[in-house]
C-alpha cells in the first residue's frame, strides 16, 4: 500500500516536473539498464551510438560490409546501419556487436521500406487516394512483417511532407496537399509499422520524415529552401508530424531544406523547442543522408567539425552516413562540457530506442533465417496489395458511361509503352521488390475479358494509330515512368513527357472511343488530353498487383472510389494551386474583364480538384445539418444515398471555413471524411463530431480558438459541395494540438 502511494506520489511529482519544465527541456532519464550502460561508456562509445553507416546501397544491400566495418562494430564505433538486410547478414553483424564489443550493445538496422518490402504496394500518393487509412495501415503492417523477418528494426517511412507543388518529384512519396488527410495517413502508417508495440518482433520502428517543410521547396526543386511563414509551417506542414509523434513514431528524420535561411539540421527551434519541448516527443532523431556534413554547403558551417557541433546542438541524434560525428565530435566534446551533456542525451535516446525494440533482451529475434523466406510475398500479402491497389484507383472522367467495359467488348487496342512497363509499377522506392513479382495489365485483362481480342502497341505513333483503327475501343496508357518522380526528380513541365501527347492526339484523332489510363506519381497538367478523352482512370503506380487491380476496375468487378489527394493543375505554370487557398480581396471571377486573382489564359478552376473522383454509380446528399452537443462539441450529419444500379463507395468529405477571424482563413479546409459502401438504393446517415480546437488559429506561439461562426460544407470533392450548415463557437479558448492533426470521429448508420 505504502509502496503504491509512494509510486503515485512520485508519478505526480514527475508530472509536475515535466509540466514545469515545459519550457526548459527536462533532462530525460533512461531505464536503470540504460543509465548503467551510459555511465560505463567512453566518449568514443557514446559517439559510436550516434553513427549510422551505410552497410550497402539500395540496390546492393550489405555490399559495404567488410573487415573495416566489422572492426568498427567490435570497437563500438557504430550504432546503426542502413541498407543492410537479410536474416543471415544482420545476425552476423549483430553477433559481432553483442558478443565482441566491449559493452555488448546491439545494433539497429534500418532501410527505406516505403511502400512494401518484398510485397510492393501502391506508391504512397496512390494509397492516400484511397481516402481509407486502413489501406496504408495494412500496407505498413505487411511491410513490417516482411522487413522484420529480414532482420530490420527500422524504416525511414512514412514521408509525411505536405506537397502542394507537383513539380517536386517527391510528391509521390507522401499523402498530397492536405494537412488533415496527411495527418490521418501519417498516423495510420505509424500504427501499421509499429503494430501493438515495438518490442514485438513483427514490428519495425517508423520514421516521420522530413522534418520539416521539405515539400515547400521553392519552385518545386528538390533540396531547395522553403520560405514560408510560421503560420504556414504550424498549420500546414507540421500537423502530420505531430500526428505521427502522437501515434508514438519512434523516430523522426530532419529535412534537407532550410526554412527562412535555417537548415533543418541546424534548426534548434524546430528540433528542440517544437519537437522535444512543446510536443514532448521522446524518440530518436536521425539526419538525412549526408545532411550533417552538407551544413557546410548551406553556408552555416565552415568545417565538418562545425557542422557536427551545430547539428548536435540543434538536436540531431544520429548522423546518417556523413561521418561528421564519427570524425570530429570527440575533440569538440572533450573541449566543451555542454556538448558532453548533449552527447549523453543523444546516446541515451538511441539506447532507449534499442531497449524499446527489445534488442537488449532479444538481439537476434528479427534475424531468424527460418522465418525469413516464409514471410515474403505470401498469398495474404498479395491479396492485401491487390485490395490496396483497387482502392487507390481514381476515376477522373467517364463521359457517356464508357466505363466499365462491356463484358462483350470485342476488339481492344492496349496502347502505350507504359502498359507493358512492369518495372514502373514498383514505384521509386522498391526495397526488395522484384519486377518478376509484378502482375502486369495485359494478362490480367485477358483473364478478366476472355472473349475480347486484345492487341498491343507501344508509343510509336504509326503503330499506335494502326492498332487503334483496328479496334472497337482503345485503352491508352500514358503518363510518366517511375523514374520521373521520386528524389531529385523535379520537373518544370508537368505535361506528358516525350511524344506521348502527340501519340495520344493521333490516337484520339481516329475517333475511336478512348479510355485513358494514367500511370504517374504526380499530378500532371493534361488539359488537352482531359478535354478530348471521354474517360480517364488515374492508376498511379500500383505495385505487384497493379494489373489485376486495374482490370478489376475496368471491368466493373470493383467500382472505383479513390479520390485525389492533390489537385491537378491545368498548366505547369498554374502551380502551386492548393484548394485551401486564402481568400483574396479580389476573388477569382470567371469573367476576365474583371481584375481578379486569376490567370488570364486559363479557367479559374483546377483541372481536377482535390477530393475529386467518380463512381460507376451515383450518390445523392441530403439533410445536412449541424447541432451542438452538451459537451461543447458539434455533430454534423448528412444522408447519402446510392441512387444508381450498382453497389459503390462514396467518400463523404467535410470542409470548414471561418468567415470572419483575426486573420484571413482558407476558403475551405478538410476537417473530416468517411469512405462508405452503399448497395443500390441504400441510404446511410454519416455523422462527424467536431470540436472548437479544430478551428484554432496559430497565433504567436499558441493555438487560439476564436469565437464566432464556422461554416461547414459537405460534398463529394472540394469543388462538388452538396450541403451547407453553420455553427457558432461561443467563447475564446486555447487549443493544445495543431488543428489539422485533431481527428474527427465519424460514424455511419443505415436509414430505413
Ligand atoms: C532521402 C531519405 C532517405 C535517405 C536514406 C535520402 O536521400 O532523402 O528520404 O530515407 O536518403 O536512403
Amino acid at each position: 500500500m505504502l509502496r503504491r502511494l509512494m509510486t503515485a506520489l512520485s508519478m505526480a511529482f514527475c508530472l509536475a516536473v515535466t509540466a514545469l519544465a515545459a519550457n526548459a527541456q527536462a533532462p530525460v532519464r533512461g531505464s536503470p539498464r540504460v543509465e548503467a550502460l551510459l555511465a560505463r561508456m567512453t566518449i568514443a562509445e557514446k559517439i559510436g551510438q550516434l553513427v549510422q553507416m551505410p552497410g550497402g546501397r539500395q540496390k546492393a544491400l550489405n555490399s559495404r560490409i567488410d573487415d573495416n566495418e566489422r572492426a568498427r562494430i567490435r570497437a563500438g564505433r557504430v550504432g546503426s546501419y542502413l541498407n543492410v538486410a537479410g536474416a543471415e547478414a544482420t545476425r552476423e553483424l549483430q553477433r559481432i556487436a553483442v558478443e565482441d564489443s566491449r559493452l555488448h550493445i546491439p545494433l539497429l538496422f534500418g532501410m527505406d521500406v516505403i511502400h512494401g518490402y518484398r510485397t510492393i504496394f501502391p506508391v504512397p500518393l496512390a494509397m492516400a487516394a484511397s481516402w481509407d487509412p486502413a489501406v496504408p495501415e495494412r500496407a505498413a503492417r505487411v511491410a513490417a512483417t516482411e522487413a522484420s523477418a529480414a532482420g530490420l528494426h527500422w524504416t525511414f517511412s512514412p514521408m509525411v511532407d505536405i506537397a502542394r507543388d507537383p513539380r517536386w518529384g517527391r510528391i509521390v512519396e507522401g499523402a498530397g496537399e492536405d494537412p488533415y488527410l496527411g495527418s490521418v495517413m501519417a498516423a495510420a502508417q505509424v500504427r501499421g509499422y509499429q503494430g501493438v508495440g515495438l518490442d514485438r518482433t513483427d514490428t519495425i520502428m517508423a520514421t516521420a520524415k522530413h522534418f520539416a517543410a521539405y515539400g515547400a521547396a521553392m519552385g518545386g526543386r528538390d533540396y531547395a529552401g522553403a520560405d514560408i511563414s510560421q503560420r504556414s509551417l504550424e498549420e500546414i506542414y507540421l500537423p502530420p508530424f505531430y500526428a505521427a509523434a502522437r501515434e508514438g513514431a519512434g523516430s523522426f528524420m530532419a529535412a534537407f531544406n532550410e526554412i527562412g535561411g535555417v537548415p533543418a539540421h541546424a534548426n534548434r527551434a524546430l528540433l528542440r523547442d517544437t519537437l522535444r519541448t512543446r510536443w514532448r516527443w521522446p524518440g530518436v532523431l536521425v539526419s538525412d543522408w549526408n545532411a550533417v556534413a552538407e551544413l557546410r554547403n548551406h553556408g552555416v558551417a565552415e568545417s565538418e567539425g562545425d557542422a557536427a557541433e551545430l547539428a548536435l546542438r540543434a538536436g540531431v541524434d544520429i548522423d546518417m552516413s556523413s561521418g561528421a560525428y564519427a570524425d570530429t565530435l570527440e575533440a569538440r566534446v572533450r573541449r566543451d562540457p555542454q556538448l558532453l551533456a548533449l552527447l549523453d542525451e543523444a546516446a541515451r535516446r538511441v539506447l532507449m530506442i534499442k531497449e524499446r525494440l527489445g534488442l537488449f533482451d532479444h538481439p537476434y529475434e528479427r534475424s531468424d533465417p527460418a522465418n525469413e523466406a516464409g514471410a515474403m510475398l505470401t498469398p495474404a500479402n498479395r491479396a492485401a496489395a491487390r485490395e490496396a491497389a483497387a482502392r487507390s484507383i481514381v476515376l477522373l472522367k467517364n463521359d457517356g458511361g464508357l466505363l466499365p467495359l462491356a463484358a462483350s467488348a470485342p476488339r481492344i487496342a492496349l496502347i502505350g509503352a507504359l502498359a507493358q512497363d512492369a518495372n514502373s509499377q514498383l514505384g521509386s522506392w522498391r526495397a526488395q521488390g522484384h519486377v518478376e513479382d509484378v502482375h502486369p495489365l495485359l494478362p490480367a485483362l485477358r483473364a478478366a475479358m476472355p472473349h475480347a481480342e486484345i492487341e498491343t502497341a507501344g508509343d510509336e505513333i504509326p503503330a499506335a494509330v494502326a492498332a487503334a483503327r483496328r479496334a472497337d475501343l482503345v485503352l491508352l496508357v500514358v503518363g510518366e515512368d517511375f523514374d520521373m518522380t521520386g528524389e531529385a526528380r523535379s520537373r518544370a513541365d508537368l505535361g506528358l513527357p516525350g511524344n506521348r501527347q502527340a501519340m495520344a492526339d493521333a490516337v484520339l484523332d481516329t475517333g475511336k472511343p478512348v479510355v485513358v489510363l494514367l500511370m504517374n506519381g504526380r499530378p500532371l497538367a493534361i488539359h488537352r488530353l482531359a478535354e478530348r478523352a471521354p474517360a480517364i482512370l488515374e492508376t498511379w503506380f500500383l505495385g505487384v498487383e497493379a494489373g489485376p487491380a486495374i482490370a478489376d476496375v475496368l471491368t466493373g468487378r470493383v467500382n472505383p472510389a479513390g479520390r485525389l489527394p492533390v489537385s491537378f493543375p491545368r498548366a505547369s505554370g498554374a502551380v502551386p494551386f492548393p484548394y485551401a487557398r486564402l481568400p483574396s480581396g479580389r476573388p477569382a471571377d470567371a469573367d476576365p474583364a474583371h481584375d481578379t486573382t486569376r490567370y488570364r489564359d486559363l479557367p479559374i478552376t483546377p483541372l481536377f480538384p482535390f477530393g475529386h473522383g467518380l463512381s460507376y454509380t451515383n450518390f445523392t446528399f441530403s439533410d445536412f445539418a449541424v447541432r451542438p452537443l452538451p459537451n461543447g462539441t458539434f455533430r454534423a450529419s448528412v444522408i447519402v444515398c446510392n441512387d444508381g444500379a450498382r453497389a459503390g463507395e462514396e467518400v463523404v468529405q467535410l470542409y470548414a471555413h471561418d468567415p470572419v477571424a483575426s486573420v484571413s482563413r482558407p476558403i475551405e479546409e478538410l476537417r473530416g471524411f468517411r469512405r462508405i459502401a452503399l448497395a443500390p438504393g441504400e441510404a446511410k446517415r454519416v455523422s462527424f463530431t467536431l470540436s472548437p480546437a479544430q478551428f484554432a488559429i496559430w497565433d504567436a506561439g499558441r493555438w487560439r480558438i476564436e469565437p464566432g461562426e464556422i461554416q461547414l460544407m459537405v460534398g463529394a470533392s472540394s469543388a462538388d459541395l452538396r450541403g451547407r450548415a453553420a455553427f457558432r463557437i461561443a467563447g475564446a479558448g486555447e487549443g493544445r494540438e495543431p488543428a489539422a492533426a485533431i481527428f474527427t470521429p465519424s460514424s455511419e448508420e443505415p436509414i430505413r
Side-chain angles (χ1 to χ4, degrees):
M1 183 65 203
L2 184 63
R3 192 184 306 153
R4 232 186 277 158
L5 183 68
M6 297 271 290
T7 315
L9 277 176
S10 73
M11 272 176 62
F13 176 69
C14 287
L15 285 174
V17 168
T18 331
L20 277 177
N23 293 315
Q25 288 211 0
V28 177
R29 297 209 67 75
S31 66
R33 165 163 49 196
V34 164
E35 293 306 318
L37 253 183
L38 211 51
R40 293 177 59 206
M41 288 166 87
T42 63
I43 288 179
E45 283 165 336
K46 289 174 187 171
I47 293 171
Q49 289 305 307
L50 314 190
V51 172
Q52 177 167 110
M53 296 304 295
R57 284 172 294 123
Q58 253 176 70
K59 289 187 185 149
L61 299 175
N62 312 322
S63 57
R64 291 189 185 176
I65 298 296
D66 55 12
D67 285 345
N68 281 342
E69 283 309 322
R70 292 188 191 94
R72 195 197 302 270
I73 301 172
R74 251 176 231 115
R77 298 206 177 228
V78 56
S80 55
Y81 278 93
L82 83 156
N83 294 343
V84 297
E88 290 277 10
T90 53
R91 194 180 186 87
E92 168 57 10
L93 298 180
Q94 196 67 299
R95 195 200 56 73
I96 301 175
V98 170
E99 290 182 18
D100 299 352
S101 74
R102 188 177 80 91
L103 294 172
H104 316 292
I105 301 174
L107 292 163
L108 272 175
F109 302 120
M111 190 171 147
D112 292 283
V113 179
I114 308 290
H115 49 111
Y117 180 74
R118 175 71 190 267
T119 306
I120 301 300
F121 280 74
V123 292
L125 188 64
M127 286 197 278
S130 70
W131 288 60
D132 176 3
V135 166
E137 180 171 345
R138 214 172 301 130
R141 188 84 291 280
V142 168
T145 319
E146 295 185 349
S148 60
L152 291 166
H153 311 121
W154 187 6
T155 177
F156 306 120
S157 169
M159 187 190 98
V160 304
D161 294 309
I162 296 299
R164 300 182 152 193
D165 190 333
R167 291 174 297 183
W168 190 53
R170 301 198 79 169
I171 195 168
V172 64
E173 296 178 51
E177 74 177 55
D178 184 71
Y180 180 83
L181 183 64
S183 297
V184 172
M185 295 300 171
Q189 290 171 84
V190 172
R191 272 198 304 280
Y193 287 128
Q194 299 194 166
V196 289
L198 280 179
D199 55 336
R200 293 275 294 262
T201 51
D202 65 347
T203 60
I204 51 178
M205 173 165 72
T207 305
K209 72 184 187 186
H210 307 81
F211 197 56
Y214 184 34
M218 172 100 57
R221 290 182 299 278
D222 209 359
Y223 317 123
D227 203 357
I228 55 173
S229 69
Q230 193 64 27
R231 179 168 293 124
S232 296
L233 179 67
E234 297 284 346
E235 293 191 354
I236 298 166
Y237 293 94
L238 293 189
F241 287 98
Y242 180 87
R246 184 180 54 197
E247 203 62 45
S251 100
F252 265 49
M253 183 187 288
F256 281 130
N257 59 286
E258 43 88 359
I259 305 176
V262 186
H265 289 74
N267 195 334
R268 211 191 137 94
L270 189 65
L271 308 188
R272 288 196 187 274
D273 302 349
T274 297
L275 184 57
R276 300 282 180 201
T277 307
R278 191 141 56 85
W279 295 0
R280 311 262 174 90
W281 178 73
V284 60
L285 192 132
V286 64
S287 81
D288 204 341
W289 178 282
N290 203 41
V292 173
E294 287 172 17
L295 285 174
R296 283 175 303 174
N297 300 349
H298 282 281
V300 296
E302 214 169 297
S303 63
E304 200 182 28
D306 287 353
E309 187 175 332
L310 204 54
L312 185 65
R313 286 193 191 282
V316 175
D317 297 323
I318 294 180
D319 173 3
M320 177 193 278
S321 84
S322 95
Y325 280 13
D327 296 344
T328 66
L329 265 190
E330 183 161 357
R332 300 211 168 219
V333 168
R334 289 198 184 282
R335 280 205 303 266
D336 182 347
Q338 212 192 16
L339 270 184
L340 179 61
L342 295 179
L343 171 64
D344 280 351
E345 212 180 73
R348 177 183 288 117
R349 281 200 276 265
V350 176
L351 296 175
M352 282 165 65
I353 278 294
K354 290 183 174 180
E355 186 168 61
R356 193 170 154 203
L357 280 155
L359 295 183
F360 287 110
D361 297 320
H362 308 288
Y364 304 112
E365 253 189 6
R366 289 178 177 82
S367 302
D368 178 359
N371 195 16
E372 185 175 14
M376 305 297 158
L377 204 66
T378 61
N381 293 358
R382 262 203 186 274
R386 179 164 177 172
E387 202 193 343
R391 289 177 83 73
S392 301
I393 293 173
V394 187
L395 179 61
L396 294 175
K397 185 175 177 188
N398 194 19
D399 283 0
L402 191 53
L403 288 175
L405 302 176
S408 58
R411 283 170 308 171
I412 294 178
L414 178 62
I415 295 176
L418 275 171
Q420 315 288 340
D421 181 1
N423 190 24
S424 273
Q425 295 301 338
L426 296 176
S428 65
W429 290 105
R430 59 247 333 251
Q432 286 299 281
H434 298 183
V435 180
E436 315 80 76
D437 296 341
V438 175
H439 288 165
L441 181 55
L442 183 59
L445 208 53
R446 290 210 158 112
M449 304 185 76
H451 304 301
E453 247 177 69
I454 304 175
E455 185 186 350
T456 60
D459 282 353
E460 306 75 29
I461 295 177
V465 168
R469 288 218 174 97
R470 284 190 289 269
D472 302 312
L473 178 120
V474 176
L475 295 177
L476 177 64
V477 186
V478 287
E480 298 179 330
D481 65 46
F482 80 94
D483 212 23
M484 290 181 166
T485 42
E487 185 171 349
R489 302 294 188 273
S490 295
R491 291 182 70 221
D493 183 346
L494 300 172
L496 294 176
N499 75 336
R500 284 179 183 157
Q501 183 62 52
M503 194 259 292
D505 280 331
V507 168
L508 284 157
D509 285 344
T510 63
K512 293 295 169 81
V514 172
V515 174
V516 171
L517 301 183
L518 289 177
M519 292 183 181
N520 49 296
R522 61 153 60 83
L524 295 171
I526 45 165
H527 185 56
R528 193 156 95 226
L529 185 64
E531 247 170 30
R532 297 194 65 195
I536 306 177
L537 206 57
E538 174 55 83
T539 72
W540 319 103
F541 301 125
L542 291 175
V544 290
E545 287 292 316
I550 297 171
D552 282 347
V553 170
L554 286 174
T555 55
R557 215 190 127 255
V558 167
N559 190 346
R563 302 290 181 257
L564 291 181
V566 57
S567 321
F568 273 44
R570 288 182 186 272
S572 307
V575 299
F577 192 44
Y579 81 94
R581 298 182 293 281
L582 294 182
S584 159
R586 297 187 175 185
D589 185 327
D591 181 353
H594 298 152
D595 291 350
T596 65
T597 175
R598 57 163 303 170
Y599 297 108
R600 286 258 164 178
D601 51 350
L602 287 177
I604 58 175
T605 52
L607 181 59
F608 297 113
F610 175 80
H612 172 71
L614 305 172
S615 166
Y616 296 152
T617 185
N618 186 48
F619 301 98
T620 57
F621 289 61
S622 60
D623 291 23
F624 184 48
V626 59
R627 65 190 164 86
L629 300 180
N631 62 0
T633 62
F634 299 88
R635 169 79 46 87
S637 67
V638 65
I639 294 174
V640 182
C641 177
N642 179 353
D643 260 10
R646 277 172 185 272
E649 296 184 18
E650 174 62 298
V651 179
V652 183
Q653 302 170 36
L654 183 69
Y655 295 89
H657 173 54
D658 183 344
V660 182
S662 56
V663 291
S664 239
R665 301 304 295 160
I667 49 178
E668 50 179 335
E669 288 180 283
L670 186 71
R671 277 297 177 268
F673 63 89
R674 190 174 178 92
R675 181 165 167 160
I676 60 166
L678 290 170
E682 192 186 6
K684 281 181 180 167
R685 183 189 303 279
V686 179
S687 302
F688 300 95
T689 307
L690 295 157
S691 63
Q694 292 181 272
F695 308 96
I697 299 168
W698 181 257
D699 181 32
R702 61 200 186 102
W703 290 103
R704 202 144 71 108
I705 303 170
E706 298 187 351
E709 184 184 80
I710 299 292
Q711 298 171 346
L712 294 180
M713 290 82 75
V714 76
S717 88
S718 62
D720 182 5
L721 303 171
R722 314 275 187 90
R724 287 172 191 277
F727 65 90
R728 290 194 77 79
I729 296 177
E734 190 167 332
R736 284 199 302 264
E737 301 185 290
I742 302 174
F743 298 151
T744 303
S746 67
S747 61
E748 58 190 90
E749 42 172 322
I751 305 263
R752 284 169 212 294

